[in-house]
């Protein structure tokens, strides 16, 4: 084709293609070039599950291959000292101007690790189960202004919003790749094991390098928690969908846990999309809304939230942010610190409890004289 272009030229090739596409045989116009219909395919209400087992293509590779470098103990101590001095101060610049809270503002969230379930009691004697979430080593990594968020889905839906990238659990910078280390140059903190972007209001922005603690919330307030459910693997219909199964006797042979019929013939003659069948169970994103905070330990950054049904296994990460339910939104009387609580500047008690929670240090039995 390249040689043909050199001989007859590009314009001649276009003329030939026009002639060939409109050949006439016995006064019948036969178009050789196939005319594709101008139809745009739109998949509405797709039933495909959002389950990603591989990281996105744009995320740089985190770990690298470690080779034996035969470093002496003296040099190892020197490198550790250099790393500690370089990342000693998270904030590289003066803290940014802090905005004022209002009912329509959206604060940043935190990344917490699920560490277990613990029972507690209310003052009226009611027992309740709580889940312990630890806000471990959270720092603001990057601020995304509204101009950069203008083309995002969240900005089209909610209007003028910004973004904050938050990281949790520091890593040794010598164990990760150079590309992944470059993500944390602006904030001046160690590379993080977990990164999450939170959608915020522009007035709730925080400078890169700002630490986030469990004191970001207050006992008695309600939060939304997002996590990944436990991966159960390939399961049958009884475990996956709660089917009853078939009978134990009376003609049932080796099909006691099967799902039975999945569709008849006639006009349908097919399996309807969305039919409950065996398949992969778990590892799906799930949001638990309106979860109450009962207790906060500011020393170890542990939060006690209501219920044992927080998605994920023990040790998994979850995202916590202010509740979005209309009946449990933050008001002027009980709003938490805005944009966050700067624990390095203000003092706070080590243990914070909800007013309805029974304290183990209080007396539970009282004796009255007749």
């Amino acid at each position: 084709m390249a040689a043909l272009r050199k001989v007859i030229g590009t314009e001649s090739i276009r003329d030939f293609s026009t002639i060939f596409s409109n050949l006439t045989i016995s006064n019948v116009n036969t178009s050789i070039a196939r005319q594709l219909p101008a139809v745009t395919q739109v998949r509405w209400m797709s039933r495909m599950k959002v389950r990603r087992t591989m990281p996105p293509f744009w995320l740089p590779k985190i770990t690298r291959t470690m080779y034996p470098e035969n470093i002496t103990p003296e040099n190892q101590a020197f490198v550790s000292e250099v790393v500690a001095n370089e990342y000693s101060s998270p904030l590289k610049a003066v803290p940014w101007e802090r905005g004022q809270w209002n009912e329509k503002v959206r604060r940043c969230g935190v990344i917490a690790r699920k560490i277990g379930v613990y029972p507690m009691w209310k003052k009226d004697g009611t027992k309740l189960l709580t889940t312990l979430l630890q806000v471990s080593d959270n720092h603001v990594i990057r601020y995304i202004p509204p101009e950069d968020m203008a083309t995002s889905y969240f900005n089209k839906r909610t209007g003028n919003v910004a973004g904050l990238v938050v990281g949790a659990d520091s890593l040794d910078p010598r164990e990760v790749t150079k590309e992944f280390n470059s993500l944390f140059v602006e904030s001046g903190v160690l590379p993080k094991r977990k990164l999450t972007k939170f959608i915020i209001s522009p007035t709730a922005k925080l400078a890169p390098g700002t630490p986030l603690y469990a004191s970001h919330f207050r006992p008695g307030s309600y939060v939304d928690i997002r996590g990944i459910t436990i991966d159960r693997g390939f399961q049958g219909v009884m475990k996956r969908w709660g089917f009853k199964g078939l009978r134990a006797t009376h003609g049932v042979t080796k099909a006691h846990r099967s799902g039975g019929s999945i569709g008849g013939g006639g006009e349908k003659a097919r399996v309807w999309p969305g039919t409950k069948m065996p398949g992969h169970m778990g590892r799906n994103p799930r949001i638990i809304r309106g979860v109450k905070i009962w207790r906060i330990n500011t020393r170890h950054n542990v939060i006690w939230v209501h219920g044992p049904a927080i998605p994920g296994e023990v040790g998994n990460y979850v995202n916590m942010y202010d509740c979005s339910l209309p009946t449990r939104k933050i008001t002027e009387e009980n709003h938490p610190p805005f944009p966050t609580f700067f624990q390095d500047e203000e003092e706070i008690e080590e243990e914070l409890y909800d007013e309805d929670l029974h304290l183990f240090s209080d007396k539970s039995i009282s004796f009255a004289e007749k």
Side-chain angles (χ1 to χ4, degrees):
M1 191 66 182
L4 184 63
R5 281 202 187 108
K6 292 182 180 179
V7 175
I8 64 177
T10 306
E11 298 295 330
S12 300
I13 292 177
R14 292 177 180 174
D15 296 339
F16 284 143
S17 62
T18 304
I19 295 173
F20 289 148
S21 62
N22 296 287
L23 290 177
T24 303
I25 302 176
S26 300
N27 297 327
V28 177
N29 187 9
T30 304
S31 179
I32 296 178
R34 178 176 295 178
Q35 300 293 332
L36 296 177
V39 177
T40 303
Q41 182 180 9
V42 179
R43 296 191 178 187
W44 187 251
M45 296 181 64
S46 175
R47 281 172 286 271
M48 297 184 63
K49 292 196 173 184
V50 185
R51 184 188 293 114
R52 300 180 179 89
T53 57
M54 296 295 292
F57 68 92
W58 45 262
L59 184 67
K61 186 179 178 181
I62 300 178
T63 58
R64 66 182 181 90
T65 305
M66 303 296 294
Y67 298 99
E69 300 177 352
N70 300 324
I71 302 178
T72 61
E74 292 78 9
N75 291 337
Q76 184 72 22
F78 174 74
V79 172
S80 301
E81 183 180 355
V82 170
V83 171
N85 293 334
E86 183 177 356
Y87 297 99
S88 59
S89 178
L91 289 175
K92 286 188 173 182
V94 180
W96 295 353
E97 183 181 358
R98 302 170 187 175
Q100 298 294 329
W101 184 88
N102 58 73
E103 294 184 356
K104 297 183 179 180
V105 80
R106 179 185 295 184
R107 297 194 312 155
C108 174
V110 298
I111 304 174
R113 185 191 290 269
K114 184 177 177 180
I115 60 177
V117 179
Y118 189 77
M120 304 196 78
W121 284 263
K122 298 170 66 174
K123 291 183 178 180
D124 58 0
T126 305
K127 180 183 177 180
L128 52 91
L129 291 178
T130 60
T131 301
L132 279 69
L133 303 175
Q134 185 177 22
V135 183
S136 56
D137 198 14
N138 277 218
H139 285 90
V140 177
I141 306 301
R142 182 175 300 174
Y143 170 67
I144 305 175
E147 341 24 288
D148 297 341
M149 294 282 293
T151 58
S152 68
Y153 166 75
F154 296 97
N155 209 317
K156 294 178 181 178
R157 185 181 66 172
T158 60
N160 187 25
V161 296
L164 271 183
V165 180
V166 179
D169 286 343
S170 300
L171 295 171
D172 191 343
R174 295 168 289 180
E175 298 179 357
V176 296
T177 60
K178 181 179 179 181
E179 294 78 12
F180 190 72
N181 264 318
S182 62
L183 300 177
F184 307 91
V185 174
E186 181 184 359
S187 60
V189 299
L190 290 169
K192 298 296 183 178
R193 188 182 305 274
K194 174 69 174 178
L195 296 177
T196 300
K197 181 174 71 173
F198 291 98
I199 305 301
I200 64 169
S201 301
T203 57
K205 62 182 180 180
L206 293 170
T210 304
L212 300 175
Y213 305 99
S215 54
H216 185 73
F217 303 100
R218 286 290 182 266
S221 59
Y222 295 89
V223 295
D224 294 344
I225 301 177
R226 182 187 186 276
I228 305 297
T229 57
I230 299 176
D231 192 355
R232 304 292 184 181
F234 193 96
Q235 297 295 334
V237 292
M238 293 184 67
K239 186 176 180 65
R240 190 185 186 196
W241 301 109
F243 280 17
K244 180 180 179 181
L246 302 184
R247 302 180 65 175
T249 58
H250 293 279
V252 179
T253 304
K254 296 182 180 180
H256 307 285
R257 298 182 65 88
S258 66
S261 175
I262 59 174
E267 296 181 359
K268 184 175 64 172
R270 64 189 178 95
V271 179
W272 280 26
T275 302
K276 296 179 179 179
M277 299 178 68
H280 194 158
M281 178 182 178
R283 196 180 173 82
N284 295 320
R286 180 170 298 173
I287 301 177
I288 308 298
R289 302 190 184 276
V291 183
K292 185 176 181 178
I293 297 177
W294 289 101
R295 177 184 174 186
I296 295 178
N297 182 280
T298 58
R299 179 181 178 184
H300 301 287
N301 290 316
V302 179
I303 303 176
W304 283 255
V305 298
H306 185 82
I310 303 303
E313 299 181 8
V314 173
N316 288 6
Y317 292 102
V318 296
N319 300 337
M320 297 180 57
Y321 44 90
D322 294 332
C323 183
S324 59
L325 295 178
T327 57
R328 295 182 176 179
K329 279 190 174 181
I330 302 172
T331 60
E332 183 67 32
E333 292 76 17
N334 63 349
H335 74 86
F338 185 84
T340 186
F341 184 81
F342 297 91
Q343 198 164 315
D344 301 335
E345 302 177 4
E346 304 178 29
E347 294 184 359
I348 190 172
E349 298 179 2
E350 181 176 342
E351 295 287 349
L352 302 176
Y353 298 92
D354 183 74
E355 57 182 7
D356 296 332
L357 194 64
H358 170 72
L359 307 183
F360 294 110
S361 58
D362 295 346
K363 296 181 180 180
S364 57
I365 299 177
S366 58
F367 300 93
E369 297 182 358
K370 292 185 178 180

